[in-house]
């Protein structure tokens, strides 16, 4: 009886468990995102009446959370099971999707630089559309308020963009208390104030425009974002590089593990 000794009779445990550890983080993050998304929907009563999803006029941030969570969960699951079970199909799926995501990120970045004016116009239209649905969804409302507070801006181009919202519009015969006003997130705040005055924007657009800057931010958020990017270019670049490196590490681990598995199967 003859015995054959193979130089590499087993898949590398190092790459196998590195791949598993790498993906368990993604899998847990995906579970967390999905849980947060469904919790947010349950708080808004969407789970009891799914038709609410179709009635929302603006962008529901929960959709983004659920999509990111779903993709992360699937990738984490494929990577974990593919590593533990040495399943080449799942590992190829994982590395292929990660590679596709990296390509799409790179393509989006290049297109954003090449077609700046079109991107600016799209962002402007997107912001205006969501101003219309500001009071329709609490998550959308919080997102717009956070954007306006952090960037000291109001509306897409100027505060008059809030005429598009039925509650803040100066036009029409509606009797909303917020008529001709703006959200509190547009207001110029005093750092010494410990309590947020949510009524500070009431009737502010009934005043002469020269007085607005004393009470609210008059700069549009699109211009504010354009000013923010050059100031934080290094931060954005570092974030992009870190994400790209993480994706490359995942692809490298998956492809190396696939190669090891195929070598072992070939030897046997």
């Amino acid at each position: 009886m003859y015995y054959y000794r193979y130089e590499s009779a087993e898949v590398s445990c190092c790459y196998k468990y590195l791949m598993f550890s790498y993906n368990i983080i993604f899998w847990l993050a995906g579970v967390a995102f999905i849980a947060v998304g469904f919790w947010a929907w349950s708080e808004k009563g969407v789970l009891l009446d799914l038709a609410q999803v179709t009635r929302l006029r603006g962008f529901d941030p929960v959709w983004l959370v659920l999509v990111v969570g779903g993709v992360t969960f699937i990738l984490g699951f494929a990577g974990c099971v593919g590593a533990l079970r040495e399943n080449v199909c799942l590992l190829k799926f994982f590395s292929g999707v990660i590679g596709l995501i990296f390509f799409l990120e790179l393509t989006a970045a290049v297109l954003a630089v090449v077609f700046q004016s079109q991107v600016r116009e799209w962002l402007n239209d997107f912001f205006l559309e969501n101003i219309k649905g500001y009071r329709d969804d609490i998550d959308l409302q919080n997102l717009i308020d956070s954007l306006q507070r952090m960037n000291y801006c109001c509306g897409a181009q100027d505060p008059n963009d809030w005429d598009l919202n039925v509650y803040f519009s100066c036009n029409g015969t509606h009797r909303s208390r917020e008529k001709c006003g703006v959200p509190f997130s547009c207001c110029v705040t005093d750092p010494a104030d410990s309590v947020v005055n949510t009524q500070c924007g009431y009737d502010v657009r009934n005043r002469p425009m020269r007085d607005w800057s004393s009470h609210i931010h008059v700069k549009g958020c699109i211009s504010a974002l354009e000013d923010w990017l050059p100031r934080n270019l290094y931060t954005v670049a570092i974030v992009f590089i870190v994400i790209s490196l993480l994706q490359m590490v995942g692809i490298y681990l998956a492809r190396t593990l696939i190669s090891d598995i195929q070598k072992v199967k070939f030897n046997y």
Side-chain angles (χ1 to χ4, degrees):
M1 184 178 291
Y2 295 95
Y3 295 91
Y4 294 93
R5 181 184 182 86
Y6 301 110
E7 293 182 2
S8 179
E10 295 182 355
V11 174
S12 170
C13 288
C14 178
Y15 286 118
K16 183 175 181 176
Y17 290 107
L18 272 176
M19 182 69 180
F20 175 78
S21 301
Y22 177 90
N23 281 280
I24 196 68
I25 297 171
F26 280 90
W27 185 78
L28 292 173
V31 171
F33 272 98
I34 292 171
V36 168
F38 279 110
W39 171 79
W41 266 0
S42 68
E43 289 291 300
K44 295 189 291 186
V46 173
L47 296 181
L48 298 176
D49 180 14
L50 293 177
Q52 288 186 40
V53 175
T54 60
R55 291 198 295 266
L56 181 63
R57 285 187 293 175
F59 169 69
D60 186 354
V62 177
W63 273 115
L64 179 61
V65 174
L66 288 174
V67 169
V68 171
V71 172
T72 307
F73 176 86
I74 293 171
L75 285 176
F77 178 81
C80 286
V81 176
L84 289 179
R85 302 294 298 174
E86 299 177 9
N87 188 305
V88 173
C89 183
L90 285 176
L91 291 171
K92 285 183 176 180
F93 170 78
F94 172 84
S95 61
V97 174
I98 290 288
L100 176 63
I101 291 173
F102 175 75
F103 174 76
L104 292 176
E105 289 171 350
L106 196 60
T107 302
V110 172
L111 291 177
V113 172
V114 174
F115 299 103
Q116 291 185 35
S117 59
Q118 289 89 336
V119 171
R120 188 181 191 280
E121 183 179 346
W122 179 82
L123 287 174
N124 184 74
D125 293 342
F126 182 74
F127 199 102
L128 292 176
E129 189 62 31
N130 284 288
I131 282 178
K132 296 177 184 177
Y134 176 79
R135 288 295 187 207
D136 294 347
D137 183 80
I138 187 63
D139 294 319
L140 174 62
Q141 182 176 314
N142 289 335
L143 182 64
I144 293 176
D145 284 336
S146 297
L147 180 65
Q148 292 190 145
R149 279 202 307 266
M150 290 169 58
N151 292 282
Y152 309 107
C153 59
C154 188
Q157 298 298 329
D158 58 57
N160 281 325
D161 288 335
W162 284 98
D163 268 337
L164 293 173
N165 186 280
V166 66
Y167 296 98
F168 296 98
S169 175
C170 292
N171 306 316
T173 57
H174 66 89
R175 303 179 64 180
S176 169
R177 182 62 188 85
E178 296 173 313
K179 184 175 182 178
C180 267
V182 292
F184 74 94
S185 53
C186 287
C187 295
V188 176
T189 57
D190 186 345
D193 292 340
S194 57
V195 178
V196 177
N197 179 9
T198 58
Q199 299 181 2
C200 59
Y202 285 11
D203 302 317
V204 70
R205 288 188 295 124
N206 276 328
R207 302 175 183 178
M209 290 186 67
R210 62 178 179 273
D211 297 336
W212 287 8
S213 59
S214 301
H215 304 279
I216 60 172
H217 302 293
V218 294
K219 189 175 189 176
C221 289
I222 302 301
S223 298
L225 288 173
E226 288 179 333
D227 293 341
W228 176 89
L229 187 58
R231 294 197 308 268
N232 297 274
L233 193 59
Y234 287 114
T235 303
V236 173
I238 290 171
V239 170
F240 181 79
I241 291 171
V242 169
I243 292 174
S244 300
L245 287 175
L246 287 173
Q247 291 171 333
M248 292 299 100
V249 167
I251 293 173
Y252 170 77
L253 290 174
R255 299 310 302 181
T256 304
L257 194 53
I258 290 170
S259 178
D260 277 3
I261 295 168
Q262 290 176 335
K263 283 180 183 177
V264 171
K265 287 183 177 180
F266 177 77
N267 286 335
Y268 281 110

